[in-house]
Each structure stands twice: as structure tokens, then as C-alpha cells.
Amino acid sequence: MSALRMLRHLLTPGWVLNRAFPSSALAAIESAVRTSEAAHRGEIRFAVEAGLDFADLRRGVTARERAVEVFSRLRVWDTAENTGVLIYVQWLDRRVEIVADRGIAARVVQDEWDAVCRLMENAFREGRFEQGAVDAVVAAGALLVKHFPARPDNPNELSNRPVLLR
């Protein structure tokens, strides 16, 4: 791990996320999650993390490993049908990861999730943070509709509100 990367993570304040994800962007993402979930039985959580802490940096935690930790911390696994999905953004490293619970992972291959990640990363490179996030939620929802279409009793089991981890 480079010293520059470590310094960036340790010295960048969490509030930098407010520039890319102001309250209006968070509201748009939340609305996209709510709309998407009306069409399927999946539960989508969206989380953005500014930087990693010293312990994670020292251990060499990857964005994927951190996404799995956040998946657990936010209890995305806590759904009746094991249909939780976390869209995780590691802001400073510009990495996006999608972690799907076992009910979904058995039906949707990782390559499809990776394509959604690349879609969002491309939008972010162009500075289209809100649109990239909303497009990723819509794309994830399209994958979920194929395998987990909504039923009349389609409860909302997890919060739709995006999480900014600082």
C-alpha cells in the first residue's frame, strides 16, 4: 500500500461526501430505491464511505472486503427471503462493489453485478455522481425483477435511505 493512499484516507474529512452527495442527491437515490423495490422482492441499500480507518488500511482491506463488512453492519442480510443487496462506494479509491445476499447470489451471477459497478464508476469519472448512483439502483432493480418479481405482499424490510459512512 502506498503512503500517499494511506495519507489520503487518513486526512480526508468525511464531509467531502457532501459535495458529491448533497441532500438532493440522497433524496434522488432514496426515491430510486423505493421505486425499484416496488417492482421486486429485493431490498437495496446504498452506502458511500469517504475513507478507510488506519486499522483497515494497515490490514490492506480491499473495497470488496469492506463492502462485505458494511453489508453485515447494515444488516442487509436481514430479510425474509435473503434478498438484500448492498451497493457500496469506497469514495477515495473510486471503487464500487455490490454484495448480494445468498438468495440473490444463487440466481444472479457476479458478472452482472460487476457490470452495474462499472456503469456507476464510469458516471462518477464524468462527475455525474447522482445520476450514476440512480442508474446503478435502476440497473440493480432490473436484475432483481427478473428473478424476484414483486408479490402483492411486498414488505419494505430495510431502509431505503442511503448511508454516508464517514
Side-chain angles (χ1 to χ4, degrees):
M1 168 189 38
S2 76
L4 179 60
R5 177 178 180 254
M6 184 176 271
L7 282 174
R8 279 188 22 230
H9 277 268
L10 295 176
L11 298 177
T12 301
W15 56 260
V16 300
L17 295 178
N18 295 338
R19 289 188 213 155
F21 297 97
S23 59
S24 60
L26 296 176
I29 296 165
E30 183 174 3
S31 177
V33 169
R34 186 180 319 102
T35 300
S36 174
E37 288 181 356
H40 56 75
R41 298 187 318 274
E43 290 292 323
I44 299 173
R45 292 298 317 259
F46 186 92
V48 182
E49 187 162 38
L52 300 174
D53 64 23
F54 182 75
D56 286 341
L57 290 166
R58 187 157 186 218
R59 288 183 313 156
V61 170
T62 66
R64 181 69 183 182
E65 292 166 336
R66 182 63 181 146
V68 170
E69 289 176 24
V70 172
F71 181 90
S72 177
R73 182 173 144 196
L74 295 178
R75 299 176 60 102
V76 180
W77 51 265
D78 196 12
T79 62
E81 292 186 74
N82 299 312
T83 55
V85 174
L86 173 67
I87 300 174
Y88 170 81
V89 178
Q90 204 307 297
W91 187 249
L92 286 176
D93 289 338
R94 300 290 197 247
R95 297 287 306 151
V96 177
E97 294 288 340
I98 296 179
V99 179
D101 203 348
R102 63 186 175 271
I104 293 172
R107 296 188 188 174
V108 180
V109 297
Q110 188 61 43
D111 286 346
E112 292 180 284
W113 294 124
D114 291 344
V116 175
C117 293
R118 302 305 79 85
L119 172 82
M120 190 164 34
E121 288 171 350
N122 288 336
F124 284 6
R125 270 193 284 286
E126 296 170 359
R128 297 181 304 110
F129 307 113
E130 178 181 328
Q131 192 60 55
V134 168
D135 289 349
V137 169
V138 170
L143 291 173
L144 292 168
V145 166
K146 288 183 200 177
H147 302 285
F148 301 93
R151 294 182 182 147
D153 62 332
N154 193 21
N156 186 21
E157 298 177 87
L158 301 174
S159 173
N160 297 333
R161 187 160 185 74
V163 178
L164 299 182
L165 304 167
R166 299 173 195 258

